[in-house]
Amino acid sequence: MLEVKDATIAIGGKVLVEGLSFIAKDGELTCLTGSEGSGKTTFIRTLMGFVPVAKGFVSVDGELLTVRSAHAFRQMMVYLPQQMQMLAHQLRAPEAPVCEAEEYSVWNAVLPSVEPEREPEPLAAEDICLLAERTVRETAERRIIIADEPAAHLSPELTLRMIALLKEQAAQGKTVLIASRRPQVVAQASQVIDLDQIRKWIQD
């Protein structure tokens, strides 16, 4: 279970997410949505422990997630990036303990970067689904799945296949959190967190 309470997230002094509170429960599919630039990807980096909350907190199964404690929590997580081809050569972090600097570079190989970088060679839509299925299968012991725009490059038919994969994981009692603007994905979620609506509510 992931709990977010009154979280404010800022990068370079710019507040991207403010006053965010929700609980992503085991066995459910939670969808974080919002317009481009609303803070979805930054929030994912916060869940990975690379961007601290300026206010509030994030906890995993009741334990506080911080930059210092994040290493242990990342061993419980599976991350499916929007650019799935990034996983073609590195499916997950190494099981052997590594120092924080090494671990940061390992996860940054698949996490969205704040720096501009060359786009990797795209995968065929069918291969995106196959790689997602393979990644989930090879990390079956991990209890939290985080997916960033999992259907961004998929047809409606393959989107249904991706949704089925994520729902199957939730049905096994795992916590599944996805970031997506795609209506076909948002409609399938057990819970929807709209960052645009939260920002409007705070401003009003």
Side-chain angles (χ1 to χ4, degrees), residues 45-57:
R45 293 185 68 85
T46 297
L47 289 181
M48 294 292 183
F50 293 119
V51 177
V53 291
K55 296 180 182 178
F57 68 84

Side-chain angles (χ1 to χ4, degrees), residues 1-16:
M1 181 183 75
L2 291 169
E3 181 178 3
V4 181
K5 181 66 174 178
D6 296 329
T8 295
I9 303 168
I11 298 291
K14 179 183 179 182
V15 174
L16 297 178

